Amino acid sequence: AQSVTQPDIHITVSEGASLELRCNYSYGATPYLFWYVQSPGQGLQLLLKYFSGDTLVQGIKGFEAEFKRSQSSFNLRKPSVHWSDAAEYFCAVGAGDGNKLVFGAGTILRVKS
Amino acid sequence: KAGVTQTPRYLIKTRGQQVTLSCSPISGHRSVSWYQQTPGQGLQFLFEYFSETQRNKGNFPGRFSGRQFSNSRSEMNVSTLELGDSALYLCASSYGGRVREAFFGQGTRLTVV
């Protein structure tokens, strides 16, 4: 069965510092991978996606992620964090046919000034 | 282009009642998926509808049901509400076909008392 692990429940970084959020997936075939962000009480906003091709994908708001098949990872990065990036981040894998997504437990990002 | 619209945004219901939530997908999208989000269980897939047919189903009891109309709008129904059904219910809209990015609505916050 497909699964996604986000090992860090909370991460705190200083404004202007770099960020890396970890994501490991378990899926038998070529995965479709996504990162979403959620502000409190809101829906999920798609940051970026990986379907195939270049393993380094660029997303919105200055985020990027790198797909590493050998490590079953899809880590999210940002070179310089802004206070407005404080939110919860979810990694997800597309599971089989259709549009079912399996999500990780999420990582709450806190940004300190 | 209008986003995914979920109504109502907030609901308070009593145990034993039933509830219907509505989701209008992005124009041209034919797939609608539903997710339940709770602090304890995270984001869990309920079901997906594509061209009025249920294409995928998660591991939820039969009290949870859904349907999709010819205009791709979808409704989900929960009968005989339990306290544990209190959650944020999120609808996701996708173009359809193979797994593609899903765009989420703001969610319906259901509180069962």
Side-chain angles (χ1 to χ4, degrees), chain A residues 55-71:
Chain A
T55 56
L56 185 64
V57 293
Q58 303 297 320
I60 62 171
K61 303 185 179 186
F63 286 93
E64 66 177 26
E66 186 171 14
F67 170 62
K68 293 185 178 180
R69 185 185 298 275
S70 62
Q71 299 176 19

Side-chain angles (χ1 to χ4, degrees), chain B residues 29-65:
Chain B
H29 285 192
R30 295 186 296 161
S31 167
V32 173
S33 300
W34 289 89
Y35 294 82
Q36 181 195 65
Q37 185 177 26
T38 60
Q41 299 298 316
L43 281 154
Q44 294 187 286
F45 173 79
L46 281 155
F47 29 66
E48 179 200 3
Y49 285 87
F50 178 72
S51 294
E52 301 180 63
T53 301
Q54 188 179 87
R55 179 158 69 173
N56 280 304
K57 188 177 188 306
N59 188 27
F60 277 82
R63 300 186 297 107
F64 292 82
S65 63

Side-chain angles (χ1 to χ4, degrees), chain A residues 38-60:
Chain A
Q38 184 180 38
S39 297
Q42 301 298 309
L44 302 175
Q45 181 181 24
L46 178 66
L47 285 175
L48 47 78
K49 61 186 183 289
Y50 172 78
F51 288 170
S52 64
D54 193 348
T55 56
L56 185 64
V57 293
Q58 303 297 320
I60 62 171

Side-chain angles (χ1 to χ4, degrees), chain B:
Chain B
K1 203 173 193 181
V4 180
T5 303
Q6 290 189 246
T7 56
R9 288 292 311 277
Y10 303 93
L11 267 178
I12 300 176
K13 290 287 189 179
T14 304
R15 272 182 303 176
Q17 287 186 314
Q18 71 152 14
V19 68
T20 299
L21 312 182
S22 179
C23 173
S24 293
I26 293 169
S27 176
H29 285 192
R30 295 186 296 161
S31 167
V32 173
S33 300
W34 289 89
Y35 294 82
Q36 181 195 65
Q37 185 177 26
T38 60
Q41 299 298 316
L43 281 154
Q44 294 187 286
F45 173 79
L46 281 155
F47 29 66
E48 179 200 3
Y49 285 87
F50 178 72
S51 294
E52 301 180 63
T53 301
Q54 188 179 87
R55 179 158 69 173
N56 280 304
K57 188 177 188 306
N59 188 27
F60 277 82
R63 300 186 297 107
F64 292 82
S65 63
R67 59 178 175 169
Q68 187 179 34
F69 302 95
S70 59
N71 61 358
S72 294
R73 190 177 71 84
S74 177
E75 290 181 344
M76 68 163 281
N77 183 275
V78 188
S79 62
T80 319
L81 284 165
E82 301 176 0
L83 295 179
D85 297 332
S86 295
L88 181 66
Y89 290 88
L90 292 164
C91 164
S93 161
S94 302
Y95 182 76
R98 299 183 66 192
V99 175
R100 299 175 184 271
E101 56 264 51
F103 298 91
F104 283 79
Q106 297 282 69
T108 294
R109 170 73 63 184
L110 172 65
T111 302
V112 182
V113 298

Side-chain angles (χ1 to χ4, degrees), chain A residues 45-108:
Chain A
Q45 181 181 24
L46 178 66
L47 285 175
L48 47 78
K49 61 186 183 289
Y50 172 78
F51 288 170
S52 64
D54 193 348
T55 56
L56 185 64
V57 293
Q58 303 297 320
I60 62 171
K61 303 185 179 186
F63 286 93
E64 66 177 26
E66 186 171 14
F67 170 62
K68 293 185 178 180
R69 185 185 298 275
S70 62
Q71 299 176 19
S72 297
S73 69
F74 188 56
N75 294 348
L76 182 72
R77 300 195 293 249
K78 187 170 184 178
S80 177
V81 168
H82 188 262
W83 64 267
S84 60
D85 294 324
E88 190 163 15
Y89 291 79
F90 293 93
C91 181
V93 64
D97 290 335
N99 291 284
K100 175 184 176 181
L101 296 174
V102 174
F103 285 88
T107 297
I108 296 172

